Amino acid sequence: MKHTLSVLVENKPGVLARVAGLFRRRGFNIHSLAVAPTENPNLSRMTIVVDLEGKPLEQVEKQLHKLVNVLKIQDFLPHEAVERELALIKVHSTKETRAEIIQICDIFRAKIVDVSQDSLAIEVTGTEDKIDAIVSLLKPYRIIDLARTGKVAVSRGRK
Amino acid sequence: MKLTGAEAVVKSLELLGVTDIFGIPGGATLPLTDALSRTEKIKYYLMRHEQCAAHAADAYARATGKVGVCTATSGPGATNLVTGIANAYMDSIPIVAITGQVATSVIGTDAFQEADITGITLPIVKHSYLITDANEIPYLFAEAFHIASTGRPGPVVIDLPRDVQNQVINFKFPEKVNLPGYKPTIRGHTRQIKLALEELMKSEKPVMFIGGGVVLSNAHQEVKKLAENFRIPVAWTLMGKGAFPDNHELNMGMIGMHGTRTTNTAIMNCDLLFAVGVRFDDRATGNLKRFAPHAKIVHIDIDPAEIGKNVKVDVPIVGDAAIVLRELNTMIENNNLKKTNHLAWVEQVFEWKKKWPLKTPDSTDLTPQFLISKISKAANDKDLIITTGVGQHQMWSAQFIELNGPRRFITSGGLGTMGFGLPAAIGAQVGKPNALVIDIDGDGSFQMVLQDLGTIARYNLPVKVVIINNRYLGMVRQWQELFFGKRYYAVDLEKGSPDFVKLSEAYGIKASVVSSVSELDEKIDEMINHRGPYVLDARVKEEENVFPMVPAGASLDEIIGGD
Ligand SMILES: Cc1ncc(C[n+]2csc(CCOP(=O)(O)OP(=O)(O)O)c2C)c(N)n1
Ligand SMILES: [Mg+2]
């Protein structure tokens, strides 16, 4: 099962290595990880999607808490959080296929961000499932490059 | 006050109360070493290997309760510390390791003697710093010592690039540290403590189970008070030895693989396991699925991550052991509580103790068990500190040395580091100059660190070293005998080991051999009464085994020997 952790950390050198190393050492697999400074430049938010493979999340959370640079950990259940991911997809296109691809993009509210003779670059945001879906629809046209940010999340409501 | 970075380090150390530091200098610590030469307040103990510097700092911390400090140069100096840092990490010992680093301008270029020591030690430190601006030195040193010594203690590494040591700053020492992400829970939850007390009152077969956390939090008096007040039998882990007096009638002995039959049997039959400052290590618990099968478990620990990690806990209490137990003892006193519903159990425990005492083998040869029990008797009235290597001699020391106070048994528990004993004796002796420090070592363990006899000689530390010389990597040999069809391989030390007496004498250290029971008392007395360092090469019976034994993975009632 995959779990989303939102971890507020001090924005200091080496913090990413400490967090990533801890997951590795305790035998947890990081599925995706997104990190950037928050509105306060001294703090960063890490959104970590972890593959639990039946292991208890509690232990990794407690170990994370012990890192001096970790300030706060939120463990999101799917309905408690707004979760999004962004993908840039470069796909092969020809005169014949371009219109079809643009039609797929419309359905997914994806944006064409670059066009060339034989390719389109597409930007799409959404849940992981949505991105998986557009990727699978674009596959037959031959994907040249794909970059996904990994999931970011904030809790719903005011808390 | 204008100071260089190196001087700021020394000033900070002085202000933090550091009086002793163990290390070896090098190119990247030259400014620091020079600054250390100009203080009267801190003595630099020049070691013969950085691993020993780290172990000495570790044992210094264990013996005194203060933070131990060691230092090494960049690159190989720093990497030589790694085993010592890991050792301190596994046993939760507060040390600060100060390493030199190449200049900030060349970090990342594979400069001469560059090693990414903060990276290398990431999984074995409580915290670490690479200081790139000397202005941060006073604050970060205060922070480092705070982190090392509070909460669940542990090692902190401070990496100091050479140019930072030369940078001139305006020195200002912080009044306090502010760490938003680090706030250990010290006071236990009163409601939980009440629950624990209820369980204690209900229990008809309670066992108190104590470990290194009791030593670290100085909770031994509270443990004793509770045990005596309610008459609760006490079991201990290797790390808890001495925290409850070995000569106490309620002391059942060590738990686990080489624990006493009484303790292991009591664990399997108790209805309440009152665990304080333990982490349910596999060497202690045996098969977890069958550990304390009838017991409710109360677990007091300062590290929330330890609670529920290995065993399911019924009453978790996060907090400092001494403070939690004090609150519990006060509740008992204030309510004038008495406990009598378990006295049949206590009688049962006493019967087991009578039935299964730890016995030295029936032999006319000089057995290691007999030798160690003799040392215990001879040193019993002394201010005794025992250090050990790792192996059979370590287990026999835990079994046959009687210690009646905490911080007297200094051993590598979690990491099981051969070679810990000798440098640990150095650190303990520096921290406790008037104590009788005896390193009960293995011939294999000793040979991993024997170069530091030089340190003992140089500072004329009156450390006693007893080499339990069985000409084997005895513990490995024991496993080969019991579980690998007696196919001894790569465990024989006979060939290639030095004459330990000549070796010691080459260092100017008095030494002697003992090989028979008849000369034992005399030799031990000579050693104990000798004013300076002394090495006793004890040529003991070769193929003795440590019993009782619970094989790895078995449960605590599957005991071999000791009946
Ligand atoms: C650094 C290190 N290397 C290897 C081991 C594995 N090991 C555990 S006990 C042991 C034998 C120790 O021999 P010795 O010091 O002579 O003690 P004895 O068991 O003979 O008393 C070995 C090799 C270890 N614990 N530490
Ligand atoms: Mg040996």
Side-chain angles (χ1 to χ4, degrees), chain B residues 157-189:
Chain B
V157 168
I158 303 178
D159 204 17
L160 278 175
R162 203 190 143 138
D163 55 323
V164 173
Q165 296 173 44
N166 288 326
Q167 183 191 341
V168 177
I169 63 158
N170 207 347
F171 184 87
K172 232 185 90 210
F173 200 68
E175 265 152 40
K176 58 175 204 223
V177 295
N178 173 33
L179 286 158
Y182 177 75
K183 302 242 182 321
T185 307
I186 305 296
R187 276 210 47 194
H189 208 296

PDB file of all heavy atoms in Angstrom, chain B residues 157-189:
ATOM      1  N   VAL B 157      28.691  14.242  15.310  1.00  0.00           N
ATOM      2  CA  VAL B 157      29.927  14.513  14.575  1.00  0.00           C
ATOM      3  C   VAL B 157      29.954  15.976  14.162  1.00  0.00           C
ATOM      4  O   VAL B 157      28.954  16.510  13.672  1.00  0.00           O
ATOM      5  CB  VAL B 157      30.036  13.612  13.319  1.00  0.00           C
ATOM      6  CG1 VAL B 157      31.158  14.078  12.399  1.00  0.00           C
ATOM      7  CG2 VAL B 157      30.257  12.160  13.723  1.00  0.00           C
ATOM      8  N   ILE B 158      31.098  16.627  14.396  1.00  0.00           N
ATOM      9  CA  ILE B 158      31.278  18.001  13.930  1.00  0.00           C
ATOM     10  C   ILE B 158      32.485  18.028  12.995  1.00  0.00           C
ATOM     11  O   ILE B 158      33.610  17.746  13.410  1.00  0.00           O
ATOM     12  CB  ILE B 158      31.511  18.969  15.104  1.00  0.00           C
ATOM     13  CG1 ILE B 158      30.358  18.891  16.105  1.00  0.00           C
ATOM     14  CG2 ILE B 158      31.657  20.403  14.580  1.00  0.00           C
ATOM     15  CD1 ILE B 158      30.532  19.790  17.321  1.00  0.00           C
ATOM     16  N   ASP B 159      32.230  18.362  11.745  1.00  0.00           N
ATOM     17  CA  ASP B 159      33.292  18.379  10.743  1.00  0.00           C
ATOM     18  C   ASP B 159      33.729  19.830  10.535  1.00  0.00           C
ATOM     19  O   ASP B 159      32.903  20.700  10.258  1.00  0.00           O
ATOM     20  CB  ASP B 159      32.747  17.783   9.432  1.00  0.00           C
ATOM     21  CG  ASP B 159      33.850  17.222   8.551  1.00  0.00           C
ATOM     22  OD1 ASP B 159      34.960  17.004   9.049  1.00  0.00           O
ATOM     23  OD2 ASP B 159      33.571  17.001   7.345  1.00  0.00           O
ATOM     24  N   LEU B 160      35.023  20.069  10.700  1.00  0.00           N
ATOM     25  CA  LEU B 160      35.547  21.439  10.704  1.00  0.00           C
ATOM     26  C   LEU B 160      36.586  21.631   9.602  1.00  0.00           C
ATOM     27  O   LEU B 160      37.742  21.233   9.759  1.00  0.00           O
ATOM     28  CB  LEU B 160      36.254  21.710  12.033  1.00  0.00           C
ATOM     29  CG  LEU B 160      35.460  22.103  13.250  1.00  0.00           C
ATOM     30  CD1 LEU B 160      36.402  22.192  14.442  1.00  0.00           C
ATOM     31  CD2 LEU B 160      34.760  23.440  13.031  1.00  0.00           C
ATOM     32  N   PRO B 161      36.201  22.259   8.495  1.00  0.00           N
ATOM     33  CA  PRO B 161      37.184  22.511   7.440  1.00  0.00           C
ATOM     34  C   PRO B 161      38.338  23.355   7.961  1.00  0.00           C
ATOM     35  O   PRO B 161      38.178  24.167   8.872  1.00  0.00           O
ATOM     36  CB  PRO B 161      36.373  23.271   6.389  1.00  0.00           C
ATOM     37  CG  PRO B 161      34.959  22.863   6.631  1.00  0.00           C
ATOM     38  CD  PRO B 161      34.854  22.672   8.114  1.00  0.00           C
ATOM     39  N   ARG B 162      39.477  23.128   7.345  1.00  0.00           N
ATOM     40  CA  ARG B 162      40.685  23.754   7.848  1.00  0.00           C
ATOM     41  C   ARG B 162      40.617  25.277   7.803  1.00  0.00           C
ATOM     42  O   ARG B 162      41.034  25.955   8.738  1.00  0.00           O
ATOM     43  CB  ARG B 162      41.878  23.262   7.022  1.00  0.00           C
ATOM     44  CG  ARG B 162      43.149  23.419   7.830  1.00  0.00           C
ATOM     45  CD  ARG B 162      44.380  23.187   7.044  1.00  0.00           C
ATOM     46  NE  ARG B 162      45.311  24.169   7.570  1.00  0.00           N
ATOM     47  CZ  ARG B 162      46.573  23.955   7.822  1.00  0.00           C
ATOM     48  NH1 ARG B 162      47.098  22.800   7.563  1.00  0.00           N
ATOM     49  NH2 ARG B 162      47.343  24.904   8.312  1.00  0.00           N
ATOM     50  N   ASP B 163      40.071  25.852   6.740  1.00  0.00           N
ATOM     51  CA  ASP B 163      40.005  27.315   6.649  1.00  0.00           C
ATOM     52  C   ASP B 163      39.070  27.896   7.708  1.00  0.00           C
ATOM     53  O   ASP B 163      39.283  29.000   8.203  1.00  0.00           O
ATOM     54  CB  ASP B 163      39.582  27.757   5.243  1.00  0.00           C
ATOM     55  CG  ASP B 163      38.282  27.121   4.796  1.00  0.00           C
ATOM     56  OD1 ASP B 163      38.056  25.935   5.126  1.00  0.00           O
ATOM     57  OD2 ASP B 163      37.476  27.799   4.136  1.00  0.00           O
ATOM     58  N   VAL B 164      38.034  27.127   8.062  1.00  0.00           N
ATOM     59  CA  VAL B 164      37.100  27.599   9.099  1.00  0.00           C
ATOM     60  C   VAL B 164      37.821  27.702  10.443  1.00  0.00           C
ATOM     61  O   VAL B 164      37.538  28.584  11.257  1.00  0.00           O
ATOM     62  CB  VAL B 164      35.875  26.667   9.172  1.00  0.00           C
ATOM     63  CG1 VAL B 164      34.974  27.025  10.339  1.00  0.00           C
ATOM     64  CG2 VAL B 164      35.103  26.713   7.860  1.00  0.00           C
ATOM     65  N   GLN B 165      38.782  26.806  10.653  1.00  0.00           N
ATOM     66  CA  GLN B 165      39.551  26.852  11.904  1.00  0.00           C
ATOM     67  C   GLN B 165      40.417  28.110  11.985  1.00  0.00           C
ATOM     68  O   GLN B 165      40.806  28.542  13.076  1.00  0.00           O
ATOM     69  CB  GLN B 165      40.445  25.607  12.023  1.00  0.00           C
ATOM     70  CG  GLN B 165      39.663  24.303  12.116  1.00  0.00           C
ATOM     71  CD  GLN B 165      40.579  23.088  12.063  1.00  0.00           C
ATOM     72  OE1 GLN B 165      41.624  23.039  12.702  1.00  0.00           O
ATOM     73  NE2 GLN B 165      40.194  22.090  11.285  1.00  0.00           N
ATOM     74  N   ASN B 166      40.737  28.676  10.829  1.00  0.00           N
ATOM     75  CA  ASN B 166      41.586  29.876  10.818  1.00  0.00           C
ATOM     76  C   ASN B 166      40.802  31.191  10.739  1.00  0.00           C
ATOM     77  O   ASN B 166      41.354  32.259  10.960  1.00  0.00           O
ATOM     78  CB  ASN B 166      42.551  29.825   9.629  1.00  0.00           C
ATOM     79  CG  ASN B 166      43.635  28.779   9.846  1.00  0.00           C
ATOM     80  OD1 ASN B 166      44.076  28.554  10.979  1.00  0.00           O
ATOM     81  ND2 ASN B 166      44.051  28.120   8.778  1.00  0.00           N
ATOM     82  N   GLN B 167      39.540  31.088  10.379  1.00  0.00           N
ATOM     83  CA  GLN B 167      38.709  32.291  10.216  1.00  0.00           C
ATOM     84  C   GLN B 167      38.579  33.018  11.559  1.00  0.00           C
ATOM     85  O   GLN B 167      38.348  32.396  12.598  1.00  0.00           O
ATOM     86  CB  GLN B 167      37.328  31.845   9.720  1.00  0.00           C
ATOM     87  CG  GLN B 167      36.355  32.959   9.418  1.00  0.00           C
ATOM     88  CD  GLN B 167      34.937  32.378   9.197  1.00  0.00           C
ATOM     89  OE1 GLN B 167      34.769  31.184   8.934  1.00  0.00           O
ATOM     90  NE2 GLN B 167      33.943  33.235   9.326  1.00  0.00           N
ATOM     91  N   VAL B 168      38.761  34.336  11.544  1.00  0.00           N
ATOM     92  CA  VAL B 168      38.674  35.099  12.793  1.00  0.00           C
ATOM     93  C   VAL B 168      37.234  35.565  13.008  1.00  0.00           C
ATOM     94  O   VAL B 168      36.591  36.092  12.103  1.00  0.00           O
ATOM     95  CB  VAL B 168      39.633  36.308  12.771  1.00  0.00           C
ATOM     96  CG1 VAL B 168      39.474  37.150  14.045  1.00  0.00           C
ATOM     97  CG2 VAL B 168      41.078  35.814  12.647  1.00  0.00           C
ATOM     98  N   ILE B 169      36.749  35.335  14.220  1.00  0.00           N
ATOM     99  CA  ILE B 169      35.362  35.707  14.521  1.00  0.00           C
ATOM    100  C   ILE B 169      35.298  36.476  15.838  1.00  0.00           C
ATOM    101  O   ILE B 169      36.242  36.515  16.619  1.00  0.00           O
ATOM    102  CB  ILE B 169      34.441  34.469  14.647  1.00  0.00           C
ATOM    103  CG1 ILE B 169      34.893  33.575  15.823  1.00  0.00           C
ATOM    104  CG2 ILE B 169      34.399  33.690  13.355  1.00  0.00           C
ATOM    105  CD1 ILE B 169      33.819  32.679  16.360  1.00  0.00           C
ATOM    106  N   ASN B 170      34.137  37.061  16.045  1.00  0.00           N
ATOM    107  CA  ASN B 170      33.841  37.705  17.307  1.00  0.00           C
ATOM    108  C   ASN B 170      33.122  36.678  18.178  1.00  0.00           C
ATOM    109  O   ASN B 170      31.966  36.348  17.919  1.00  0.00           O
ATOM    110  CB  ASN B 170      32.927  38.902  17.017  1.00  0.00           C
ATOM    111  CG  ASN B 170      33.091  39.964  18.085  1.00  0.00           C
ATOM    112  OD1 ASN B 170      33.689  39.702  19.141  1.00  0.00           O
ATOM    113  ND2 ASN B 170      32.585  41.138  17.814  1.00  0.00           N
ATOM    114  N   PHE B 171      33.803  36.172  19.195  1.00  0.00           N
ATOM    115  CA  PHE B 171      33.261  35.028  19.945  1.00  0.00           C
ATOM    116  C   PHE B 171      32.132  35.432  20.886  1.00  0.00           C
ATOM    117  O   PHE B 171      32.284  36.312  21.726  1.00  0.00           O
ATOM    118  CB  PHE B 171      34.371  34.372  20.763  1.00  0.00           C
ATOM    119  CG  PHE B 171      33.934  33.135  21.491  1.00  0.00           C
ATOM    120  CD1 PHE B 171      33.977  31.894  20.867  1.00  0.00           C
ATOM    121  CD2 PHE B 171      33.462  33.203  22.796  1.00  0.00           C
ATOM    122  CE1 PHE B 171      33.569  30.744  21.533  1.00  0.00           C
ATOM    123  CE2 PHE B 171      33.045  32.054  23.470  1.00  0.00           C
ATOM    124  CZ  PHE B 171      33.103  30.824  22.835  1.00  0.00           C
ATOM    125  N   LYS B 172      31.009  34.781  20.730  1.00  0.00           N
ATOM    126  CA  LYS B 172      29.893  34.987  21.663  1.00  0.00           C
ATOM    127  C   LYS B 172      29.231  33.647  21.927  1.00  0.00           C
ATOM    128  O   LYS B 172      28.774  32.996  20.995  1.00  0.00           O
ATOM    129  CB  LYS B 172      28.876  35.965  21.063  1.00  0.00           C
ATOM    130  CG  LYS B 172      28.546  37.118  22.006  1.00  0.00           C
ATOM    131  CD  LYS B 172      27.443  38.014  21.441  1.00  0.00           C
ATOM    132  CE  LYS B 172      26.081  37.516  21.874  1.00  0.00           C
ATOM    133  NZ  LYS B 172      25.027  37.793  20.918  1.00  0.00           N
ATOM    134  N   PHE B 173      29.209  33.247  23.182  1.00  0.00           N
ATOM    135  CA  PHE B 173      28.653  31.931  23.493  1.00  0.00           C
ATOM    136  C   PHE B 173      27.165  32.060  23.787  1.00  0.00           C
ATOM    137  O   PHE B 173      26.749  32.962  24.515  1.00  0.00           O
ATOM    138  CB  PHE B 173      29.378  31.328  24.699  1.00  0.00           C
ATOM    139  CG  PHE B 173      29.208  29.839  24.796  1.00  0.00           C
ATOM    140  CD1 PHE B 173      29.792  28.995  23.859  1.00  0.00           C
ATOM    141  CD2 PHE B 173      28.446  29.280  25.809  1.00  0.00           C
ATOM    142  CE1 PHE B 173      29.625  27.619  23.937  1.00  0.00           C
ATOM    143  CE2 PHE B 173      28.282  27.900  25.900  1.00  0.00           C
ATOM    144  CZ  PHE B 173      28.873  27.080  24.959  1.00  0.00           C
ATOM    145  N   PRO B 174      26.348  31.183  23.230  1.00  0.00           N
ATOM    146  CA  PRO B 174      24.900  31.309  23.417  1.00  0.00           C
ATOM    147  C   PRO B 174      24.493  30.979  24.853  1.00  0.00           C
ATOM    148  O   PRO B 174      25.138  30.147  25.506  1.00  0.00           O
ATOM    149  CB  PRO B 174      24.325  30.278  22.456  1.00  0.00           C
ATOM    150  CG  PRO B 174      25.383  29.246  22.347  1.00  0.00           C
ATOM    151  CD  PRO B 174      26.687  29.987  22.435  1.00  0.00           C
ATOM    152  N   GLU B 175      23.430  31.624  25.321  1.00  0.00           N
ATOM    153  CA  GLU B 175      22.949  31.297  26.660  1.00  0.00           C
ATOM    154  C   GLU B 175      22.184  29.988  26.652  1.00  0.00           C
ATOM    155  O   GLU B 175      22.248  29.206  27.582  1.00  0.00           O
ATOM    156  CB  GLU B 175      22.074  32.424  27.200  1.00  0.00           C
ATOM    157  CG  GLU B 175      22.882  33.384  28.063  1.00  0.00           C
ATOM    158  CD  GLU B 175      22.303  34.771  28.058  1.00  0.00           C
ATOM    159  OE1 GLU B 175      21.069  34.899  28.095  1.00  0.00           O
ATOM    160  OE2 GLU B 175      23.100  35.740  28.003  1.00  0.00           O
ATOM    161  N   LYS B 176      21.430  29.791  25.588  1.00  0.00           N
ATOM    162  CA  LYS B 176      20.760  28.494  25.481  1.00  0.00           C
ATOM    163  C   LYS B 176      20.548  28.160  24.020  1.00  0.00           C
ATOM    164  O   LYS B 176      20.677  29.023  23.152  1.00  0.00           O
ATOM    165  CB  LYS B 176      19.441  28.486  26.257  1.00  0.00           C
ATOM    166  CG  LYS B 176      18.453  29.533  25.817  1.00  0.00           C
ATOM    167  CD  LYS B 176      17.155  29.308  26.589  1.00  0.00           C
ATOM    168  CE  LYS B 176      16.018  29.889  25.831  1.00  0.00           C
ATOM    169  NZ  LYS B 176      14.999  30.604  26.254  1.00  0.00           N
ATOM    170  N   VAL B 177      20.251  26.901  23.776  1.00  0.00           N
ATOM    171  CA  VAL B 177      20.021  26.500  22.395  1.00  0.00           C
ATOM    172  C   VAL B 177      18.521  26.396  22.142  1.00  0.00           C
ATOM    173  O   VAL B 177      17.743  26.137  23.053  1.00  0.00           O
ATOM    174  CB  VAL B 177      20.710  25.156  22.058  1.00  0.00           C
ATOM    175  CG1 VAL B 177      22.207  25.284  22.139  1.00  0.00           C
ATOM    176  CG2 VAL B 177      20.204  24.052  22.948  1.00  0.00           C
ATOM    177  N   ASN B 178      18.156  26.640  20.917  1.00  0.00           N
ATOM    178  CA  ASN B 178      16.748  26.580  20.551  1.00  0.00           C
ATOM    179  C   ASN B 178      16.607  25.664  19.339  1.00  0.00           C
ATOM    180  O   ASN B 178      17.035  26.010  18.244  1.00  0.00           O
ATOM    181  CB  ASN B 178      16.255  27.997  20.236  1.00  0.00           C
ATOM    182  CG  ASN B 178      14.848  27.970  19.691  1.00  0.00           C
ATOM    183  OD1 ASN B 178      14.051  27.109  20.081  1.00  0.00           O
ATOM    184  ND2 ASN B 178      14.553  28.875  18.775  1.00  0.00           N
ATOM    185  N   LEU B 179      16.037  24.520  19.575  1.00  0.00           N
ATOM    186  CA  LEU B 179      15.905  23.539  18.503  1.00  0.00           C
ATOM    187  C   LEU B 179      14.438  23.188  18.311  1.00  0.00           C
ATOM    188  O   LEU B 179      13.898  22.348  19.031  1.00  0.00           O
ATOM    189  CB  LEU B 179      16.691  22.282  18.861  1.00  0.00           C
ATOM    190  CG  LEU B 179      18.204  22.406  18.762  1.00  0.00           C
ATOM    191  CD1 LEU B 179      18.886  21.362  19.617  1.00  0.00           C
ATOM    192  CD2 LEU B 179      18.634  22.253  17.313  1.00  0.00           C
ATOM    193  N   PRO B 180      13.796  23.825  17.334  1.00  0.00           N
ATOM    194  CA  PRO B 180      12.353  23.594  17.173  1.00  0.00           C
ATOM    195  C   PRO B 180      12.001  22.142  16.846  1.00  0.00           C
ATOM    196  O   PRO B 180      10.927  21.677  17.200  1.00  0.00           O
ATOM    197  CB  PRO B 180      11.965  24.522  16.016  1.00  0.00           C
ATOM    198  CG  PRO B 180      13.249  24.914  15.358  1.00  0.00           C
ATOM    199  CD  PRO B 180      14.329  24.801  16.388  1.00  0.00           C
ATOM    200  N   GLY B 181      12.926  21.420  16.230  1.00  0.00           N
ATOM    201  CA  GLY B 181      12.619  20.040  15.832  1.00  0.00           C
ATOM    202  C   GLY B 181      13.113  19.014  16.827  1.00  0.00           C
ATOM    203  O   GLY B 181      13.119  17.817  16.539  1.00  0.00           O
ATOM    204  N   TYR B 182      13.557  19.461  17.999  1.00  0.00           N
ATOM    205  CA  TYR B 182      14.143  18.517  18.956  1.00  0.00           C
ATOM    206  C   TYR B 182      13.661  18.850  20.354  1.00  0.00           C
ATOM    207  O   TYR B 182      14.180  19.762  20.996  1.00  0.00           O
ATOM    208  CB  TYR B 182      15.663  18.591  18.880  1.00  0.00           C
ATOM    209  CG  TYR B 182      16.372  17.702  19.874  1.00  0.00           C
ATOM    210  CD1 TYR B 182      16.438  16.336  19.674  1.00  0.00           C
ATOM    211  CD2 TYR B 182      16.961  18.229  21.020  1.00  0.00           C
ATOM    212  CE1 TYR B 182      17.067  15.518  20.592  1.00  0.00           C
ATOM    213  CE2 TYR B 182      17.592  17.417  21.947  1.00  0.00           C
ATOM    214  CZ  TYR B 182      17.652  16.072  21.728  1.00  0.00           C
ATOM    215  OH  TYR B 182      18.272  15.257  22.629  1.00  0.00           O
ATOM    216  N   LYS B 183      12.632  18.148  20.790  1.00  0.00           N
ATOM    217  CA  LYS B 183      12.092  18.388  22.122  1.00  0.00           C
ATOM    218  C   LYS B 183      11.767  17.035  22.766  1.00  0.00           C
ATOM    219  O   LYS B 183      10.631  16.592  22.744  1.00  0.00           O
ATOM    220  CB  LYS B 183      10.794  19.211  22.028  1.00  0.00           C
ATOM    221  CG  LYS B 183      10.915  20.574  21.338  1.00  0.00           C
ATOM    222  CD  LYS B 183      10.575  21.685  22.302  1.00  0.00           C
ATOM    223  CE  LYS B 183      10.601  23.079  21.737  1.00  0.00           C
ATOM    224  NZ  LYS B 183      11.644  23.431  20.786  1.00  0.00           N
ATOM    225  N   PRO B 184      12.781  16.392  23.343  1.00  0.00           N
ATOM    226  CA  PRO B 184      12.505  15.075  23.931  1.00  0.00           C
ATOM    227  C   PRO B 184      11.457  15.164  25.047  1.00  0.00           C
ATOM    228  O   PRO B 184      11.410  16.154  25.777  1.00  0.00           O
ATOM    229  CB  PRO B 184      13.853  14.650  24.515  1.00  0.00           C
ATOM    230  CG  PRO B 184      14.858  15.640  24.071  1.00  0.00           C
ATOM    231  CD  PRO B 184      14.159  16.827  23.517  1.00  0.00           C
ATOM    232  N   THR B 185      10.630  14.131  25.116  1.00  0.00           N
ATOM    233  CA  THR B 185       9.636  14.055  26.194  1.00  0.00           C
ATOM    234  C   THR B 185      10.327  13.523  27.440  1.00  0.00           C
ATOM    235  O   THR B 185      10.828  12.397  27.436  1.00  0.00           O
ATOM    236  CB  THR B 185       8.488  13.108  25.795  1.00  0.00           C
ATOM    237  OG1 THR B 185       8.001  13.534  24.531  1.00  0.00           O
ATOM    238  CG2 THR B 185       7.373  13.128  26.814  1.00  0.00           C
ATOM    239  N   ILE B 186      10.356  14.324  28.478  1.00  0.00           N
ATOM    240  CA  ILE B 186      11.072  13.950  29.692  1.00  0.00           C
ATOM    241  C   ILE B 186      10.095  13.416  30.748  1.00  0.00           C
ATOM    242  O   ILE B 186      10.325  12.380  31.361  1.00  0.00           O
ATOM    243  CB  ILE B 186      11.831  15.173  30.274  1.00  0.00           C
ATOM    244  CG1 ILE B 186      12.755  15.777  29.212  1.00  0.00           C
ATOM    245  CG2 ILE B 186      12.608  14.805  31.523  1.00  0.00           C
ATOM    246  CD1 ILE B 186      13.864  14.868  28.746  1.00  0.00           C
ATOM    247  N   ARG B 187       9.017  14.153  30.937  1.00  0.00           N
ATOM    248  CA  ARG B 187       8.037  13.737  31.942  1.00  0.00           C
ATOM    249  C   ARG B 187       7.071  12.748  31.344  1.00  0.00           C
ATOM    250  O   ARG B 187       6.529  12.957  30.264  1.00  0.00           O
ATOM    251  CB  ARG B 187       7.251  14.960  32.433  1.00  0.00           C
ATOM    252  CG  ARG B 187       7.980  15.736  33.541  1.00  0.00           C
ATOM    253  CD  ARG B 187       6.979  16.406  34.455  1.00  0.00           C
ATOM    254  NE  ARG B 187       5.919  15.494  34.856  1.00  0.00           N
ATOM    255  CZ  ARG B 187       4.790  15.891  35.429  1.00  0.00           C
ATOM    256  NH1 ARG B 187       4.550  17.154  35.632  1.00  0.00           N
ATOM    257  NH2 ARG B 187       3.878  14.998  35.781  1.00  0.00           N
ATOM    258  N   GLY B 188       6.835  11.677  32.044  1.00  0.00           N
ATOM    259  CA  GLY B 188       5.868  10.695  31.557  1.00  0.00           C
ATOM    260  C   GLY B 188       4.454  11.200  31.774  1.00  0.00           C
ATOM    261  O   GLY B 188       4.209  12.087  32.597  1.00  0.00           O
ATOM    262  N   HIS B 189       3.526  10.635  31.028  1.00  0.00           N
ATOM    263  CA  HIS B 189       2.124  10.997  31.142  1.00  0.00           C
ATOM    264  C   HIS B 189       1.583  10.429  32.454  1.00  0.00           C
ATOM    265  O   HIS B 189       1.631   9.218  32.682  1.00  0.00           O
ATOM    266  CB  HIS B 189       1.387  10.396  29.963  1.00  0.00           C
ATOM    267  CG  HIS B 189       0.184  11.169  29.579  1.00  0.00           C
ATOM    268  ND1 HIS B 189      -0.883  11.310  30.428  1.00  0.00           N
ATOM    269  CD2 HIS B 189      -0.114  11.857  28.456  1.00  0.00           C
ATOM    270  CE1 HIS B 189      -1.795  12.042  29.834  1.00  0.00           C
ATOM    271  NE2 HIS B 189      -1.349  12.402  28.633  1.00  0.00           N
TER     272      HIS B 189
END
